[in-house]
DNA sequence: AGCTCACTTTACCTTGACGTCAACGGAAAG
DNA sequence: CTTTCCGTTGACGTCAAGGTAAAGTGAGCT
């Protein structure tokens, strides 16, 4: 029998509150099994949560994230749907590519500042040593 | 004489409303010159706006963005400040590095799905052709 | 039976990031 | 002088993403 989890376990594991997880359910981001009135989470729910968290780290809104995870386990069979699906994928790809470029740019700038800081620091240190002799 | 801009020009250029730009000023993200009661934006303001927009694309809050742009034109002279500054830079770097990895991961997955879609599409097309002969 | 514990729903509250609307200022054009 | 623009401040509205508090359910222990 495959492993399942309670809401508190998942919350702890992902570092969010149970409220948050229920909220996501309310927004149709996940749909756990119910056993009586309790929620029971399977592996697929965990995977979805994983995707959601990644989406959040990337700054997407819950609506966007839902669209993405829905893409994830959609299985378009008709050709028209398939085309639409491909379009969405490419749109997503475009956005992420821009984000990547943004990040690369910032990382470069940070690296430059970092180097500059380190230079300054070592200068001031040797300066201090010399002054204390 | 160096070029300047009005609020509406900048708003159009960055694809936001004037309200948004004033809001950023209210939150101390920019501080344009005043000529009478009108705001006059110089190149440095444009650059700051550029940084702000990038920050937003990367999903940072306005508070975080202010911290970042302040870092940008800060010039820490004391050694203690310099160390703190370096720490902040490295923290930022860590976050962005994680984001980059997230993006790379997602891009990979998208690429796979894309390829799969294209395969399916071309199959269905040749299938349709064959069926129409 | 009473108690605890984990979980549930319902409902209102908060914070961030703006949108919207009202009321007004000044300059430039007809 | 009136109209037309563009701009201003200030107050209130709104939407997303949860926080928080209240009150209840059910299983299991003692």
């Amino acid at each position: 029998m495959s492993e399942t989890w309670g809401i508190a376990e998942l919350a702890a594991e992902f570092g969010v509150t149970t409220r948050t997880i229920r909220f996501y359910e309310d927004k149709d981001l996940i749909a756990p099994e119910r056993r009586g009135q309790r929620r029971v989470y399977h592996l697929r729910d965990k995977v979805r949560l994983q995707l959601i968290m990644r989406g959040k780290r990337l700054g997407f809104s819950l609506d966007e994230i839902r669209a993405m995870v829905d893409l994830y386990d959609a299985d378009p069979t008709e050709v028209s749907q398939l085309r639409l699906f491909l379009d969405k994928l490419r749109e997503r790809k475009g956005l992420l590519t821009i984000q990547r470029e943004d990040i690369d740019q910032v990382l470069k700038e940070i690296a430059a500042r970092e180097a500059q800081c380190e230079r300054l620091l070592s200068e001031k240190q040797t300066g201090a040593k010399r002054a204390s002799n």
Side-chain angles (χ1 to χ4, degrees), chain A:
Chain A
M1 198 184 84
S2 69
E3 205 173 352
T4 64
W5 297 266
I7 192 169
E9 282 174 292
L10 281 196
E13 185 165 346
F14 286 103
V16 298
T17 65
T18 59
R19 171 71 176 91
T20 299
I21 296 187
R22 290 198 200 95
F23 182 71
Y24 291 163
E25 181 176 348
D26 203 52
K27 297 287 161 176
D28 290 324
L29 290 171
I30 33 179
E33 192 200 328
R34 291 294 182 127
R35 221 165 267 172
Q37 89 174 338
R38 303 290 179 92
R39 293 165 172 85
V40 176
Y41 297 86
H42 294 253
L43 187 59
R44 43 177 294 279
D45 300 310
K46 253 184 96 167
V47 171
R48 280 182 86 94
L49 263 176
Q50 197 67 256
L51 292 176
I52 293 169
M53 297 306 156
R54 202 167 58 188
K56 284 186 53 185
R57 282 198 300 277
L58 295 179
F60 293 105
S61 76
L62 292 188
D63 274 15
E64 291 175 307
I65 291 176
R66 187 189 33 247
M68 293 168 67
V69 296
D70 282 356
L71 273 193
Y72 233 85
D73 47 40
D75 190 10
T77 96
E78 278 197 53
V79 173
S80 59
Q81 278 182 22
L82 205 54
R83 288 201 187 290
L84 220 134
F85 186 78
L86 244 178
D87 281 359
K88 286 189 189 171
L89 277 182
R90 285 178 177 148
E91 195 187 323
R92 213 31 85 201
K93 198 169 142 187
L95 268 174
L96 289 175
T97 305
I98 290 178
Q99 271 202 35
R100 237 197 86 121
E101 284 161 8
D102 279 342
I103 290 182
D104 284 352
Q105 188 61 36
V106 178
L107 280 179
K108 252 191 222 166
E109 291 163 10
I110 287 184
R113 291 287 271 175
E114 212 178 345
Q116 181 195 357
C117 281
E118 276 161 357
R119 245 192 318 101
L120 265 170
L121 260 180
S122 67
E123 270 176 33
K124 296 217 173 193
Q125 273 187 342
T126 63
K129 271 185 191 168
R130 235 179 263 127
S132 70
N133 282 354

mmCIF file of all heavy atoms in Angstrom, chain A residues 20-47:
data_model
loop_
_atom_site.group_PDB
_atom_site.id
_atom_site.type_symbol
_atom_site.label_atom_id
_atom_site.label_comp_id
_atom_site.label_asym_id
_atom_site.label_seq_id
_atom_site.Cartn_x
_atom_site.Cartn_y
_atom_site.Cartn_z
ATOM 1 N N THR A 20 -2.418 27.279 5.197
ATOM 2 C CA THR A 20 -1.928 27.517 3.844
ATOM 3 C C THR A 20 -2.325 26.377 2.924
ATOM 4 O O THR A 20 -2.829 26.602 1.811
ATOM 5 C CB THR A 20 -0.401 27.662 3.874
ATOM 6 O OG1 THR A 20 -0.086 28.779 4.701
ATOM 7 C CG2 THR A 20 0.155 27.890 2.489
ATOM 8 N N ILE A 21 -2.133 25.162 3.391
ATOM 9 C CA ILE A 21 -2.452 24.008 2.552
ATOM 10 C C ILE A 21 -3.945 23.943 2.269
ATOM 11 O O ILE A 21 -4.362 23.690 1.145
ATOM 12 C CB ILE A 21 -1.944 22.717 3.218
ATOM 13 C CG1 ILE A 21 -0.404 22.770 3.308
ATOM 14 C CG2 ILE A 21 -2.386 21.498 2.435
ATOM 15 C CD1 ILE A 21 0.227 21.499 3.780
ATOM 16 N N ARG A 22 -4.744 24.197 3.282
ATOM 17 C CA ARG A 22 -6.199 24.224 3.057
ATOM 18 C C ARG A 22 -6.562 25.338 2.087
ATOM 19 O O ARG A 22 -7.449 25.190 1.249
ATOM 20 C CB ARG A 22 -6.929 24.434 4.384
ATOM 21 C CG ARG A 22 -6.828 23.230 5.281
ATOM 22 C CD ARG A 22 -7.886 23.259 6.379
ATOM 23 N NE ARG A 22 -7.485 22.375 7.469
ATOM 24 C CZ ARG A 22 -6.844 22.788 8.550
ATOM 25 N NH1 ARG A 22 -6.565 24.065 8.730
ATOM 26 N NH2 ARG A 22 -6.495 21.918 9.478
ATOM 27 N N PHE A 23 -5.900 26.435 2.233
ATOM 28 C CA PHE A 23 -6.152 27.570 1.346
ATOM 29 C C PHE A 23 -5.880 27.176 -0.105
ATOM 30 O O PHE A 23 -6.657 27.482 -1.012
ATOM 31 C CB PHE A 23 -5.261 28.736 1.762
ATOM 32 C CG PHE A 23 -5.450 29.980 0.959
ATOM 33 C CD1 PHE A 23 -6.600 30.733 1.102
ATOM 34 C CD2 PHE A 23 -4.477 30.387 0.068
ATOM 35 C CE1 PHE A 23 -6.775 31.901 0.365
ATOM 36 C CE2 PHE A 23 -4.646 31.544 -0.677
ATOM 37 C CZ PHE A 23 -5.798 32.305 -0.527
ATOM 38 N N TYR A 24 -4.829 26.478 -0.332
ATOM 39 C CA TYR A 24 -4.491 26.023 -1.688
ATOM 40 C C TYR A 24 -5.579 25.080 -2.213
ATOM 41 O O TYR A 24 -5.914 25.109 -3.385
ATOM 42 C CB TYR A 24 -3.146 25.318 -1.710
ATOM 43 C CG TYR A 24 -1.987 26.240 -1.456
ATOM 44 C CD1 TYR A 24 -0.735 25.753 -1.091
ATOM 45 C CD2 TYR A 24 -2.141 27.619 -1.572
ATOM 46 C CE1 TYR A 24 0.318 26.608 -0.854
ATOM 47 C CE2 TYR A 24 -1.090 28.478 -1.326
ATOM 48 C CZ TYR A 24 0.137 27.961 -0.968
ATOM 49 O OH TYR A 24 1.183 28.813 -0.732
ATOM 50 N N GLU A 25 -6.093 24.261 -1.329
ATOM 51 C CA GLU A 25 -7.169 23.364 -1.731
ATOM 52 C C GLU A 25 -8.391 24.181 -2.136
ATOM 53 O O GLU A 25 -9.018 23.922 -3.152
ATOM 54 C CB GLU A 25 -7.511 22.427 -0.578
ATOM 55 C CG GLU A 25 -8.618 21.451 -0.926
ATOM 56 C CD GLU A 25 -8.859 20.465 0.207
ATOM 57 O OE1 GLU A 25 -8.032 20.410 1.130
ATOM 58 O OE2 GLU A 25 -9.881 19.750 0.151
ATOM 59 N N ASP A 26 -8.664 25.201 -1.327
ATOM 60 C CA ASP A 26 -9.799 26.067 -1.614
ATOM 61 C C ASP A 26 -9.636 26.724 -2.984
ATOM 62 O O ASP A 26 -10.616 26.972 -3.689
ATOM 63 C CB ASP A 26 -9.889 27.131 -0.527
ATOM 64 C CG ASP A 26 -11.275 27.716 -0.411
ATOM 65 O OD1 ASP A 26 -12.225 26.924 -0.280
ATOM 66 O OD2 ASP A 26 -11.416 28.951 -0.467
ATOM 67 N N LYS A 27 -8.428 26.978 -3.364
ATOM 68 C CA LYS A 27 -8.130 27.605 -4.654
ATOM 69 C C LYS A 27 -7.919 26.569 -5.758
ATOM 70 O O LYS A 27 -7.378 26.890 -6.819
ATOM 71 C CB LYS A 27 -6.887 28.479 -4.531
ATOM 72 C CG LYS A 27 -7.035 29.631 -3.571
ATOM 73 C CD LYS A 27 -7.928 30.728 -4.124
ATOM 74 C CE LYS A 27 -8.435 31.616 -2.998
ATOM 75 N NZ LYS A 27 -9.228 32.751 -3.492
ATOM 76 N N ASP A 28 -8.274 25.342 -5.463
ATOM 77 C CA ASP A 28 -8.171 24.268 -6.459
ATOM 78 C C ASP A 28 -6.756 23.970 -6.927
ATOM 79 O O ASP A 28 -6.551 23.594 -8.088
ATOM 80 C CB ASP A 28 -9.042 24.581 -7.680
ATOM 81 C CG ASP A 28 -10.524 24.482 -7.342
ATOM 82 O OD1 ASP A 28 -10.880 23.610 -6.538
ATOM 83 O OD2 ASP A 28 -11.303 25.286 -7.877
ATOM 84 N N LEU A 29 -5.808 24.140 -6.058
ATOM 85 C CA LEU A 29 -4.442 23.798 -6.428
ATOM 86 C C LEU A 29 -4.143 22.343 -6.091
ATOM 87 O O LEU A 29 -3.303 21.714 -6.725
ATOM 88 C CB LEU A 29 -3.456 24.713 -5.712
ATOM 89 C CG LEU A 29 -3.467 26.155 -6.211
ATOM 90 C CD1 LEU A 29 -2.632 27.039 -5.313
ATOM 91 C CD2 LEU A 29 -2.938 26.206 -7.636
ATOM 92 N N ILE A 30 -4.828 21.823 -5.094
ATOM 93 C CA ILE A 30 -4.712 20.415 -4.744
ATOM 94 C C ILE A 30 -6.086 19.878 -4.366
ATOM 95 O O ILE A 30 -6.980 20.638 -4.005
ATOM 96 C CB ILE A 30 -3.756 20.162 -3.562
ATOM 97 C CG1 ILE A 30 -3.832 21.345 -2.599
ATOM 98 C CG2 ILE A 30 -2.347 19.940 -4.025
ATOM 99 C CD1 ILE A 30 -2.938 21.166 -1.409
ATOM 100 N N ALA A 31 -6.232 18.586 -4.441
ATOM 101 C CA ALA A 31 -7.519 17.973 -4.110
ATOM 102 C C ALA A 31 -7.255 16.626 -3.471
ATOM 103 O O ALA A 31 -7.339 15.587 -4.109
ATOM 104 C CB ALA A 31 -8.360 17.813 -5.374
ATOM 105 N N PRO A 32 -6.917 16.636 -2.197
ATOM 106 C CA PRO A 32 -6.567 15.401 -1.500
ATOM 107 C C PRO A 32 -7.796 14.502 -1.351
ATOM 108 O O PRO A 32 -8.929 14.959 -1.484
ATOM 109 C CB PRO A 32 -6.109 15.894 -0.140
ATOM 110 C CG PRO A 32 -6.821 17.197 0.049
ATOM 111 C CD PRO A 32 -6.898 17.795 -1.311
ATOM 112 N N GLU A 33 -7.502 13.246 -1.081
ATOM 113 C CA GLU A 33 -8.580 12.315 -0.780
ATOM 114 C C GLU A 33 -9.201 12.704 0.557
ATOM 115 O O GLU A 33 -8.566 13.363 1.375
ATOM 116 C CB GLU A 33 -7.956 10.915 -0.651
ATOM 117 C CG GLU A 33 -8.942 9.768 -0.610
ATOM 118 C CD GLU A 33 -8.291 8.527 0.005
ATOM 119 O OE1 GLU A 33 -7.066 8.337 -0.163
ATOM 120 O OE2 GLU A 33 -9.009 7.770 0.690
ATOM 121 N N ARG A 34 -10.467 12.295 0.768
ATOM 122 C CA ARG A 34 -11.086 12.490 2.072
ATOM 123 C C ARG A 34 -11.366 11.123 2.665
ATOM 124 O O ARG A 34 -11.882 10.223 1.984
ATOM 125 C CB ARG A 34 -12.409 13.241 1.925
ATOM 126 C CG ARG A 34 -12.260 14.674 1.516
ATOM 127 C CD ARG A 34 -11.571 15.455 2.626
ATOM 128 N NE ARG A 34 -11.472 16.857 2.244
ATOM 129 C CZ ARG A 34 -11.907 17.854 3.004
ATOM 130 N NH1 ARG A 34 -12.463 17.593 4.175
ATOM 131 N NH2 ARG A 34 -11.772 19.100 2.626
ATOM 132 N N ARG A 35 -11.026 10.993 3.923
ATOM 133 C CA ARG A 35 -11.389 9.764 4.626
ATOM 134 C C ARG A 35 -12.211 10.239 5.800
ATOM 135 O O ARG A 35 -11.686 10.771 6.779
ATOM 136 C CB ARG A 35 -10.126 9.027 5.081
ATOM 137 C CG ARG A 35 -10.222 7.525 4.894
ATOM 138 C CD ARG A 35 -8.853 6.861 4.993
ATOM 139 N NE ARG A 35 -8.173 6.698 3.715
ATOM 140 C CZ ARG A 35 -6.908 6.282 3.601
ATOM 141 N NH1 ARG A 35 -6.207 6.020 4.668
ATOM 142 N NH2 ARG A 35 -6.357 6.136 2.409
ATOM 143 N N GLY A 36 -13.532 10.150 5.663
ATOM 144 C CA GLY A 36 -14.406 10.803 6.617
ATOM 145 C C GLY A 36 -14.288 12.285 6.325
ATOM 146 O O GLY A 36 -14.448 12.714 5.193
ATOM 147 N N GLN A 37 -13.939 13.047 7.337
ATOM 148 C CA GLN A 37 -13.760 14.480 7.066
ATOM 149 C C GLN A 37 -12.282 14.854 7.007
ATOM 150 O O GLN A 37 -11.947 15.977 6.690
ATOM 151 C CB GLN A 37 -14.543 15.328 8.085
ATOM 152 C CG GLN A 37 -13.814 15.687 9.343
ATOM 153 C CD GLN A 37 -14.610 16.636 10.220
ATOM 154 O OE1 GLN A 37 -15.514 17.356 9.776
ATOM 155 N NE2 GLN A 37 -14.291 16.646 11.492
ATOM 156 N N ARG A 38 -11.427 13.890 7.299
ATOM 157 C CA ARG A 38 -9.989 14.154 7.268
ATOM 158 C C ARG A 38 -9.421 14.124 5.855
ATOM 159 O O ARG A 38 -9.876 13.344 5.017
ATOM 160 C CB ARG A 38 -9.236 13.090 8.096
ATOM 161 C CG ARG A 38 -9.671 12.965 9.531
ATOM 162 C CD ARG A 38 -9.242 14.175 10.319
ATOM 163 N NE ARG A 38 -9.659 14.119 11.711
ATOM 164 C CZ ARG A 38 -8.921 13.623 12.704
ATOM 165 N NH1 ARG A 38 -7.756 13.082 12.456
ATOM 166 N NH2 ARG A 38 -9.355 13.674 13.945
ATOM 167 N N ARG A 39 -8.417 14.933 5.648
ATOM 168 C CA ARG A 39 -7.722 14.938 4.367
ATOM 169 C C ARG A 39 -6.586 13.932 4.384
ATOM 170 O O ARG A 39 -5.835 13.849 5.354
ATOM 171 C CB ARG A 39 -7.131 16.310 4.077
ATOM 172 C CG ARG A 39 -8.163 17.396 3.848
ATOM 173 C CD ARG A 39 -7.518 18.755 3.940
ATOM 174 N NE ARG A 39 -8.433 19.811 3.547
ATOM 175 C CZ ARG A 39 -9.303 20.374 4.389
ATOM 176 N NH1 ARG A 39 -9.371 19.982 5.637
ATOM 177 N NH2 ARG A 39 -10.096 21.337 3.960
ATOM 178 N N VAL A 40 -6.493 13.185 3.324
ATOM 179 C CA VAL A 40 -5.408 12.219 3.197
ATOM 180 C C VAL A 40 -4.629 12.518 1.921
ATOM 181 O O VAL A 40 -5.193 12.541 0.834
ATOM 182 C CB VAL A 40 -5.960 10.790 3.148
ATOM 183 C CG1 VAL A 40 -4.828 9.797 2.917
ATOM 184 C CG2 VAL A 40 -6.706 10.473 4.441
ATOM 185 N N TYR A 41 -3.338 12.743 2.085
ATOM 186 C CA TYR A 41 -2.511 13.160 0.949
ATOM 187 C C TYR A 41 -1.678 12.005 0.425
ATOM 188 O O TYR A 41 -1.039 11.293 1.194
ATOM 189 C CB TYR A 41 -1.609 14.310 1.347
ATOM 190 C CG TYR A 41 -2.388 15.541 1.745
ATOM 191 C CD1 TYR A 41 -2.852 15.704 3.052
ATOM 192 C CD2 TYR A 41 -2.684 16.522 0.803
ATOM 193 C CE1 TYR A 41 -3.583 16.823 3.405
ATOM 194 C CE2 TYR A 41 -3.419 17.652 1.152
ATOM 195 C CZ TYR A 41 -3.865 17.795 2.464
ATOM 196 O OH TYR A 41 -4.591 18.892 2.812
ATOM 197 N N HIS A 42 -1.699 11.839 -0.895
ATOM 198 C CA HIS A 42 -0.895 10.802 -1.540
ATOM 199 C C HIS A 42 0.318 11.444 -2.206
ATOM 200 O O HIS A 42 0.458 12.662 -2.205
ATOM 201 C CB HIS A 42 -1.737 10.070 -2.582
ATOM 202 C CG HIS A 42 -2.865 9.287 -1.977
ATOM 203 N ND1 HIS A 42 -2.855 7.910 -1.892
ATOM 204 C CD2 HIS A 42 -4.021 9.692 -1.399
ATOM 205 C CE1 HIS A 42 -3.972 7.508 -1.296
ATOM 206 N NE2 HIS A 42 -4.697 8.562 -0.996
ATOM 207 N N LEU A 43 1.114 10.586 -2.817
ATOM 208 C CA LEU A 43 2.344 11.075 -3.414
ATOM 209 C C LEU A 43 2.076 12.171 -4.436
ATOM 210 O O LEU A 43 2.771 13.185 -4.487
ATOM 211 C CB LEU A 43 3.106 9.916 -4.063
ATOM 212 C CG LEU A 43 4.485 10.305 -4.565
ATOM 213 C CD1 LEU A 43 5.336 10.848 -3.416
ATOM 214 C CD2 LEU A 43 5.194 9.148 -5.226
ATOM 215 N N ARG A 44 1.050 11.974 -5.237
ATOM 216 C CA ARG A 44 0.775 12.983 -6.259
ATOM 217 C C ARG A 44 0.470 14.359 -5.649
ATOM 218 O O ARG A 44 0.812 15.393 -6.214
ATOM 219 C CB ARG A 44 -0.379 12.556 -7.164
ATOM 220 C CG ARG A 44 -1.569 11.931 -6.451
ATOM 221 C CD ARG A 44 -2.673 11.616 -7.437
ATOM 222 N NE ARG A 44 -3.246 12.822 -8.014
ATOM 223 C CZ ARG A 44 -4.159 13.583 -7.412
ATOM 224 N NH1 ARG A 44 -4.600 13.272 -6.203
ATOM 225 N NH2 ARG A 44 -4.633 14.646 -8.019
ATOM 226 N N ASP A 45 -0.160 14.355 -4.493
ATOM 227 C CA ASP A 45 -0.431 15.622 -3.825
ATOM 228 C C ASP A 45 0.870 16.266 -3.357
ATOM 229 O O ASP A 45 1.055 17.471 -3.459
ATOM 230 C CB ASP A 45 -1.363 15.386 -2.628
ATOM 231 C CG ASP A 45 -2.690 14.770 -3.052
ATOM 232 O OD1 ASP A 45 -3.315 15.298 -3.976
ATOM 233 O OD2 ASP A 45 -3.084 13.747 -2.465
ATOM 234 N N LYS A 46 1.765 15.423 -2.878
ATOM 235 C CA LYS A 46 3.061 15.930 -2.444
ATOM 236 C C LYS A 46 3.806 16.547 -3.616
ATOM 237 O O LYS A 46 4.402 17.612 -3.502
ATOM 238 C CB LYS A 46 3.896 14.780 -1.859
ATOM 239 C CG LYS A 46 4.031 14.832 -0.371
ATOM 240 C CD LYS A 46 4.930 13.751 0.150
ATOM 241 C CE LYS A 46 6.341 14.201 0.360
ATOM 242 N NZ LYS A 46 7.129 13.233 1.165
ATOM 243 N N VAL A 47 3.752 15.859 -4.734
ATOM 244 C CA VAL A 47 4.437 16.373 -5.923
ATOM 245 C C VAL A 47 3.847 17.723 -6.327
ATOM 246 O O VAL A 47 4.559 18.674 -6.635
ATOM 247 C CB VAL A 47 4.320 15.365 -7.073
ATOM 248 C CG1 VAL A 47 4.830 15.978 -8.366
ATOM 249 C CG2 VAL A 47 5.104 14.110 -6.738
#
